[in-house]
Amino acid sequence: MVQQLKTQDIIFTTNTHYYQILERYPELQPKMEEIVTSWSQKTIFELAGIKKEDHIGVLYNSPLTVNYVERAIDYFKISYNKFSALNENNVQYLEDFVKQQNVIIAEPPCRIFKDMELQNLIHRKNIKLISFEYLVDKGSVMMIQKKLANLEDK
C-alpha cells in the first residue's frame, strides 16, 4: 500500500487517518493533505431528537464509528437511558439487537439501510433510524479544488 501511495501526487485523508498514516509513514507527509469533516445538519437534527428514556443502538463496521457517535452524543450533551453497539457483520444477532433499541444509529453504508426485512422491523416497531453522516468542511473543499487546479497547471 505504501508503495502505491508514494506514486501519487496528492494524498487526501480525513484528520483522523492523517495522523495514523503519518505515524507509520512519515515520508508521505509532503504529499498528504488533511481533510476536515463535520456532522451533517440532518444528523445533528436527528441526534437532537433523542430522549433521555431512549435505548440507543449503534451498528458499526469500524469501531471508530462507535467513538464518533459517542463523541457526538457527548458534544451535544444528549441524555439517554441505554447505549449499546453491535458490529453489523454479526448477522445472527442483528435482528434481536434492533428489537432491543428504539433508536438505531448507523453510517450510510450499513446493511440496515438496504435490508428490507430490517427496514420492515424498524417500521413496525417505530424505531428511529439515524443515518450518521459526515460532510467535508467548506475550507477543505476549497483546499482540494486549489490543489487539483495546481496539478492541472503542471
Side-chain angles (χ1 to χ4, degrees):
M1 180 177 124
V2 174
Q3 294 303 341
Q4 189 177 16
L5 288 174
K6 286 180 180 180
T7 64
Q8 305 305 311
D9 294 318
I10 302 174
I11 304 166
F12 294 111
T13 183
T14 62
N15 50 351
T16 302
H17 296 106
Y18 179 85
Y19 293 104
Q20 291 173 343
I21 293 169
L22 275 184
E23 189 175 296
R24 290 185 73 186
Y25 311 106
E27 68 274 16
L28 295 176
Q29 185 180 21
K31 296 180 176 198
M32 289 184 52
E33 292 296 334
E34 180 180 5
I35 305 299
V36 178
T37 58
S38 59
W39 302 301
S40 73
Q41 290 289 331
K42 180 181 178 221
T43 297
I44 293 169
F45 180 76
E46 289 178 345
L47 288 174
I50 293 174
K51 301 175 201 88
K52 61 182 168 186
E53 64 271 6
D54 283 338
H55 290 211
I56 299 171
V58 177
L59 289 174
Y60 67 92
N61 200 318
S62 163
L64 284 175
T65 301
V66 179
N67 292 338
Y68 296 147
V69 171
E70 288 176 319
R71 281 195 302 184
I73 288 171
D74 188 49
Y75 179 82
F76 294 113
K77 296 177 177 39
I78 296 168
S79 298
Y80 56 88
N81 185 353
K82 184 180 170 192
F83 184 95
S84 53
L86 178 74
N87 187 300
E88 71 167 317
N89 295 315
N90 287 334
V91 180
Q92 69 271 25
Y93 303 114
L94 197 53
E95 186 176 331
D96 286 338
F97 179 80
V98 170
K99 287 178 183 177
Q100 295 171 17
Q101 317 307 321
N102 56 333
V103 174
I104 300 283
I105 302 173
E107 291 180 312
C110 184
R111 77 176 68 239
I112 199 163
F113 294 104
K114 302 173 210 121
D115 186 314
M116 289 312 294
E117 286 183 37
L118 289 174
Q119 286 291 315
N120 289 334
L121 174 63
I122 288 168
H123 183 72
R124 278 194 321 274
K125 298 207 42 102
N126 200 28
I127 298 169
K128 181 177 187 173
L129 178 59
I130 298 175
S131 178
F132 199 73
E133 302 170 350
Y134 300 90
L135 299 174
V136 175
D137 178 77
K138 288 180 183 178
S140 289
V141 170
M142 291 170 50
M143 182 267 302
I144 291 169
Q145 291 171 332
K146 183 178 178 182
K147 292 285 184 179
L148 292 176
N150 288 345
L151 274 180
E152 288 175 0
D153 293 341
K154 288 185 177 179

